[in-house]
Amino acid sequence: MTFQDFKFHSDVAAGIAGAGYAEPTPIQAQAIPVVMAGRDVMGLAQTGTGKTAAFALPILHRLRSGPRGRVRALVVAPTRELAEQINDSFATLGAHTGLRSVTIYGGVGMNPQVERLRRGTDIVVACPGRLLDHIGQGTISLAHLEVLVLDEADQMFDMGFLPDIRRILRAVPKTRQTLLFSATMPEAIRALAGEALTDPATVQVDRVAPAVTVSHALYPVEQHLKTALLMRLLEHTDTESVLIFTRTKHRAKRLDEQLQKAGYRAASLQGNLSQNRRQAALDGFRDGSFQILVATDIAARGIDVSQISHVINYDIPDTAEAYIHRIGRTGRAARSGDAFTLVTGEDTAMVRTIEKVLGKPLQRRHLDGFDYSVPAPRKDTEFARTPRQPQVRRAKPAPAAAAPSVPASDAAKPANKRRRFKRNGARSGQSR
Ligand code: AMP
């Protein structure tokens, strides 16, 4: 299948060429014809599959004809970062259409958004809360809406947005095309789909299969040695940009500080940051001024840095879905990436769950030359403490001896030789 098969208007085809897309991804190949036919769609796809273009391209094609300056397409997304990325996709893919798109989200001034809406737009990409503010104040008119997209519906559910989504559904015309995308299908999303979609076509790309180019490895280690092991891994691994996940905001901040002390150009994303600082950290990560970003799952939502070479789970996530979601940020669009997970004995049950979902065992690695025998400090610091007891039966930890031993320099040998991680030897400008 090629993009020509969809018979997009030449202005849209020019946008695809401009974005450098050679051929449709599987979700695009499945979804675009159905969306073009005007059907409602339930799309099961995670980030990194090309799902944005799967809805953006047919929307641009549809909106290309018809009146300009009215909101005819609305995309609702869980986070500002995702909203900005979707907006960027519309800008790139729609560069030759003359269609306008604006973002609407909280944490920034209302007035510039009101002004942009007043000047007229064809597409709105919004987070639920602020969108409802505009609806409530009458600063947005959705009377001419033709297409509604609910993106990352499961994330919106996790973040408690479902009541807001239902309010939004009541505020848009009944006759419309609705596309709902979700990486997973919990009961709450099934119910939402039942309310929002009419006779939907379901399109699905491997529900939980991560990008094939990602290589996964587990590093069994005791809790109090995690930071030391992480430092050794970074020293011995060729990395471009690394996204590190921790279980809590506090741990993200502490780890960021420790990395900076060790001379890394690092930043952390925590819920407490102002929108400006958050944006500065994200921009710095995107343009390479920060090589390491430490974040929690919530803070990292929507991050799409296509050149992420490594995702490191400093703490294992709570669910297999979250694992897939995290590592979906590396190895995008056929780039190779590595996903390392530091695991303690407490994580054995979750490791099993992840392996079951992935359908294969994950490789255990042992870093040669690293002193695994350093005892825990007598008085545990908060950081060294296990953040949370998992809600699972404790299983016997995998014996460390089962882990194949690899020389430190080979611990994370990438398929293609990458730039070795540079340390700048000094604390550097963190955006706080
Ligand atoms: P998404 O899942 O929409 O976040 O897209 C993931 C990444 O894949 C983004 O960086 C897109 O620009 C890129 N992408 C989307 N469609 C294609 C395509 N057909 N060919 C190559 N890259 C694509």
Side-chain angles (χ1 to χ4, degrees):
M1 172 152 291
T2 69
F3 277 114
Q4 281 78 35
D5 296 332
F6 303 130
K7 307 219 177 327
F8 284 126
H9 188 280
S10 57
D11 290 349
V12 178
I16 298 169
Y21 299 169
E23 56 181 54
T25 65
I27 191 74
Q28 290 162 4
Q30 283 186 50
I32 289 173
V34 212
V35 182
M36 298 272 276
R39 288 203 49 193
D40 280 5
V41 169
M42 171 73 234
L44 275 159
Q46 65 215 25
T47 328
T49 52
K51 69 180 163 57
T52 313
F55 62 77
L57 290 169
I59 287 177
L60 289 164
H61 177 82
R62 175 180 183 143
L63 267 50
R64 171 82 197 39
S65 45
R68 295 292 169 110
R70 301 162 161 183
V71 183
R72 293 170 62 206
L74 169 66
V75 183
V76 184
T79 63
R80 324 176 245 228
E81 284 76 29
L82 183 61
E84 284 296 346
Q85 275 163 37
I86 295 169
N87 196 49
D88 288 348
S89 296
F90 274 116
T92 306
L93 299 170
H96 305 272
T97 62
L99 291 162
R100 282 182 287 176
S101 169
V102 303
T103 50
I104 298 268
Y105 46 73
V108 294
M110 186 94 176
N111 285 342
Q113 296 175 355
V114 172
E115 182 51 31
R116 264 178 273 143
L117 288 168
R118 204 189 51 74
R119 283 204 298 267
T121 185
D122 307 286
I123 301 159
V124 168
V125 187
C127 297
R130 180 58 67 89
L131 174 63
L132 282 170
D133 293 343
H134 283 281
I135 292 173
Q137 297 184 18
T139 42
I140 189 169
S141 165
L142 297 172
H144 300 283
L145 192 79
E146 296 172 30
V147 189
L148 172 69
V149 182
L150 302 174
D151 197 16
E152 305 216 345
D154 50 352
Q155 302 288 3
M156 294 205 273
F157 165 57
D158 285 350
M159 293 167 84
F161 284 142
L162 280 204
D164 284 355
I165 301 298
R166 293 202 159 88
R167 265 176 230 131
I168 293 165
L169 285 173
R170 287 197 291 272
V172 296
K174 285 216 157 40
T175 310
R176 57 164 202 266
Q177 183 179 22
T178 308
L179 316 173
L180 190 153
F181 288 88
S182 193
T184 58
M185 199 57 175
E187 189 43 47
I189 300 305
R190 218 175 282 279
L192 179 72
E195 295 161 43
L197 306 174
T198 307
D199 184 28
T202 300
V203 297
Q204 176 168 9
V205 291
D206 298 334
R207 193 175 79 87
V208 287
V212 285
T213 48
V214 176
S215 69
H216 311 248
L218 301 179
Y219 285 85
V221 66
E222 285 187 57
Q223 187 68 235
H224 68 283
L225 292 176
K226 275 187 172 180
T227 305
L229 182 69
L230 173 74
M231 298 286 181
R232 289 297 297 276
L233 276 172
L234 291 171
E235 272 168 34
H236 290 290
T237 308
D238 287 333
T239 53
E240 283 167 12
S241 64
V242 187
L243 182 57
I244 301 179
F245 286 96
T246 61
R247 206 191 299 275
T248 65
K249 287 190 278 194
H250 174 68
R251 286 164 78 79
K253 187 157 178 280
R254 279 289 305 273
L255 188 57
D256 169 26
E257 282 164 4
Q258 291 180 324
L259 287 165
Q260 288 191 52
K261 251 191 217 138
Y264 289 107
R265 287 187 278 117
S268 56
L269 269 192
Q270 317 139 38
N272 307 347
L273 292 185
S274 71
Q275 173 62 7
N276 279 350
R277 288 188 165 170
R278 186 179 163 78
Q279 200 59 51
L282 278 173
D283 291 347
F285 190 49
R286 246 176 230 131
D287 68 21
S289 351
F290 299 125
Q291 292 165 307
I292 305 180
L293 190 66
V294 191
T296 57
D297 285 301
I298 298 260
R301 292 230 162 107
I303 292 180
D304 171 17
V305 180
S306 38
Q307 73 275 22
I308 288 176
S309 61
H310 290 71
V311 168
I312 301 182
N313 295 315
Y314 183 88
D315 296 316
I316 202 167
D318 287 336
T319 63
E321 261 91 17
Y323 178 87
I324 305 291
H325 211 78
R326 285 182 182 184
I327 62 121
R329 292 182 172 89
T330 184
R332 279 173 187 235
R335 283 187 182 89
S336 64
D338 293 304
F340 300 156
T341 305
L342 309 190
V343 289
T344 68
E346 306 279 352
D347 301 330
T348 310
M350 183 46 64
V351 168
R352 275 211 202 102
T353 306
I354 292 170
E355 289 180 322
K356 221 162 117 191
V357 170
L358 292 175
K360 59 173 186 195
L362 293 171
Q363 192 195 12
R364 270 80 171 160
R365 288 188 192 161
H366 184 86
L367 197 60
D368 263 4
F370 180 76
D371 188 358
Y372 284 89
S373 66
V374 176
R378 263 226 313 268
K379 188 171 171 296
D380 256 4
T381 61
E382 180 172 1
F383 201 38
R385 222 191 306 138
T386 306
R388 198 179 59 78
Q389 293 296 320
Q391 302 293 307
V392 288
R393 200 157 38 88
R394 254 188 90 174
K396 263 219 297 253
S405 194
V406 286
S409 54
D410 282 345
K413 204 177 250 170
N416 54 335
K417 190 84 182 139
R418 281 194 278 261
R419 184 157 50 86
R420 189 163 285 276
F421 208 94
K422 288 272 183 320
R423 303 166 81 177
N424 63 358
R427 265 174 184 275
S428 56
Q430 144 73 327
S431 66
R432 275 201 290 244

